[in-house]
Amino acid sequence: AQSVTQPDIHITVSEGASLELRCNYSYGATPYLFWYVQSPGQGLQLLLKYFSGDTLVQGIKGFEAEFKRSQSSFNLRKPSVHWSDAAEYFCAVGTTSGTYKYIFGTGTRLKVLA
Amino acid sequence: DAGITQSPRHKVTETGTPVTLRCHQTENHRYMYWYRQDPGHGLRLIHYSYGVKDTDKGEVSDGYSVSRSKTEDFLLTLESATSSQTSVYFCAISDRTGRDPEQYFGPGTRLTVT
């Protein structure tokens, strides 16, 4: 069965520090991969996406993610975190055959210390 | 922004009453999805549609039904609402032409069942 795992429920970093949020997936082929961010009481905003090609993907707000096929991972990174990055982050997988569905991880809540 | 609206945006209802949530799109996308979001669970798929009158169950479909009589509208019905269905409900659409596998989200509906 397809699944997405975000092993870290909560992460706390200091402002200016680097950030890496982990995402692992289980799928029988290379899926479409997404990272979303959600601020409290708000909807989901797409940060970045991977369809094919270059495995290092650049997104909005200075975020990037790297697809590693051998590890079934799509980790999100940012070199220097800003206080406004405090939010919840979701990794998602899109199926690439059959009826198209998306599977979401349970999210990682990021807290940023001033 | 993709043209997706959800109505109502907020609703409070009593246990045992029927509730219908509406998702409306102006993008003519083939795929439409209903998710619920609960703390610690991320987004979980309730039902989805891959065309007019073509629908299928997601991972948390019990207690929910859907209908899609035209491309632009996807209705989610709680036949007899229960407190466990208190949640935030998101509608999403996708074209899935292969050129754009991205999923676009509506603003969400906050449903409280008392």
Side-chain angles (χ1 to χ4, degrees), chain A residues 32 34 36 38 41-44 46 49 51 88 90 94-107, chain B residues 31 33 35 37 40-43 45 48 50 56-57 90 94 96 98-107 110:
Chain A
Y32 300 127
F34 307 87
Y36 293 87
Q38 185 181 37
Q42 302 299 309
L44 286 92
L46 180 70
K49 56 193 176 186
F51 297 159
E88 191 157 24
F90 295 95
T95 62
T96 57
S97 63
T99 51
Y100 297 125
K101 297 190 290 186
Y102 300 80
I103 302 99
F104 283 78
T106 52
Chain B
Y31 283 82
Y33 308 81
Y35 296 91
Q37 184 178 29
H41 292 277
L43 273 75
L45 182 64
Y48 64 103
Y50 46 95
D56 205 351
K57 296 178 180 180
F90 286 98
S94 176
R96 284 305 193 120
R99 292 168 295 176
D100 179 20
E102 185 175 339
Q103 195 174 44
Y104 300 90
F105 285 87
R110 184 172 297 276

Side-chain angles (χ1 to χ4, degrees), chain B residues 66-108:
Chain B
V66 290
S67 66
R68 191 172 179 196
S69 59
K70 43 187 178 177
T71 299
E72 57 266 36
D73 289 326
F74 192 33
L75 304 181
L76 177 71
T77 298
L78 291 66
E79 301 290 347
S80 178
T82 68
S83 59
S84 65
Q85 293 176 312
T86 292
S87 186
V88 179
Y89 291 86
F90 286 98
C91 174
I93 65 174
S94 176
D95 193 16
R96 284 305 193 120
T97 60
R99 292 168 295 176
D100 179 20
E102 185 175 339
Q103 195 174 44
Y104 300 90
F105 285 87

Side-chain angles (χ1 to χ4, degrees), chain A residues 4-6 21-25 33-37 73-76 89-93 103-108:
Chain A
V4 177
T5 301
Q6 293 181 247
L21 302 183
R22 296 181 290 165
C23 174
N24 292 95
Y25 66 88
L33 295 159
F34 307 87
W35 274 100
Y36 293 87
V37 62
S73 68
F74 189 56
N75 294 347
L76 182 71
Y89 293 79
F90 295 95
C91 179
V93 156
I103 302 99
F104 283 78
T106 52
T108 297

